[in-house]
Amino acid sequence: MNTAGRMKALTLAGRIILEHGGETYRAEDTVVRMAQSMGLAEPDAFGVPSGLFISFTDDMGERRTTVCRMHGRDTDLGRVDAVNQLSRRLSAGQLSEEELLDELNKLAVPGVFSRWHQPATAALTAFGFAMMFEGNVWDMLISALCAALTQMLPWMLPVKTGNMAKLVLGSALSSLLPMLFHQLTGLGLVDAMVAGALMPLVPGLSMTNAVLDVVRGDMVSGTAHAARALLTAALVAGGALVGTEIFRWIGGLL
């Protein structure tokens, strides 16, 4: 494989890890290990949540450097694990460079299930948390419905929205619908329904990555992850407050 193909493979590997919830140090370590397995000299990688810098010395002794900008962010740790497995197979000589690039290209393309895995997993998560909060069957079902609808909001809105808009609208919906359901039917425990529906929006992964990066001395990535986690938590809390205020207005009319 030529230098351009090797650089593309390294870039794809790092981008998949960073865009799907992997830690910054994991992306850097995976890229360096892959480069070493390819026989590249002096490989180096520097990652931040919004970008990845890769450099190495090619066969002609020239220093090659590229920058990869991260655009979308998702949580799919299965893809992160798949890239790690490919790195191990490459190091063990069980995978050629061409096969590595083909596999990475497949991982980078969203599959049919990828469109529905977020609503499905969010619903399952909310269902389990509502049960943990001692909710009944109605609480679990309403929580699961709200969590799934939150993930599907970008599909239903007429204009394209970012992740921040989804957090505010989703948390407002997750607090408004359970209260309306309880108001109209008298069924369920509002606290369990709302808490269960909001749990999939809690930035646990971002906060975990922030702590791991800071402990490892990567202050730039750690600070960025921490800021993202705090902003996400504030937006979720603000959206829930908006939903509560809307219910108070609607409740006065019911």
Side-chain angles (χ1 to χ4, degrees), residues 176 179-185 246-254:
L176 176 60
M179 289 187 285
L180 285 176
F181 174 78
H182 179 74
Q183 177 79 5
L184 296 173
T185 65
I246 294 175
F247 171 75
R248 289 179 180 174
W249 177 71
I250 296 177
L253 302 178
L254 294 177

Side-chain angles (χ1 to χ4, degrees), residues 203-220:
L205 184 59
S206 294
M207 186 57 71
T208 301
N209 287 342
V211 174
L212 289 174
D213 286 338
V214 170
V215 169
R216 289 176 176 270
D218 195 344
M219 302 303 295
V220 175

Side-chain angles (χ1 to χ4, degrees), residues 41-218:
E42 301 176 333
D44 201 2
F46 174 71
V48 291
S50 58
L52 181 65
F53 303 82
I54 302 172
S55 64
F56 59 82
T57 302
D58 62 14
D59 298 333
M60 304 299 294
E62 297 183 7
R63 193 68 178 171
R64 303 287 184 176
T65 303
T66 189
V67 179
C68 178
R69 181 74 164 85
M70 306 302 150
H71 296 285
R73 292 199 66 86
D74 191 7
T75 301
D76 190 346
L77 298 183
R79 297 194 185 209
V80 176
D81 179 67
V83 174
N84 287 335
Q85 294 299 327
L86 291 175
S87 176
R88 294 186 181 96
R89 290 173 60 191
L90 181 68
S91 300
Q94 301 172 355
L95 196 69
S96 68
E97 295 177 6
E98 290 76 11
E99 291 172 334
L100 171 67
L101 184 57
D102 289 340
E103 293 295 328
L104 290 172
N105 281 323
K106 293 176 183 178
L107 284 175
V109 176
V112 177
F113 180 69
S114 296
R115 181 176 176 86
W116 296 99
H117 87 277
Q118 280 193 327
T121 53
L124 183 61
T125 301
F127 189 93
F129 273 107
M131 181 187 298
M132 188 182 72
F133 295 139
E134 299 182 355
N136 55 31
V137 175
W138 286 110
D139 299 330
M140 291 182 275
L141 291 176
I142 297 299
S143 293
L145 175 63
C146 292
L149 288 176
T150 297
Q151 300 300 324
M152 296 167 63
L153 276 176
W155 313 348
M156 298 183 289
L157 295 176
V159 294
K160 185 177 180 180
T161 60
N163 188 56
M164 298 305 176
K166 184 185 77 171
L167 289 173
V168 175
L169 295 175
S171 56
L173 185 71
S174 297
S175 61
L176 176 60
L177 288 184
M179 289 187 285
L180 285 176
F181 174 78
H182 179 74
Q183 177 79 5
L184 296 173
T185 65
L187 300 173
L189 181 63
V190 174
D191 291 345
M193 287 187 283
V194 173
L198 291 178
M199 286 306 293
L201 300 177
V202 174
L205 184 59
S206 294
M207 186 57 71
T208 301
N209 287 342
V211 174
L212 289 174
D213 286 338
V214 170
V215 169
R216 289 176 176 270
D218 195 344

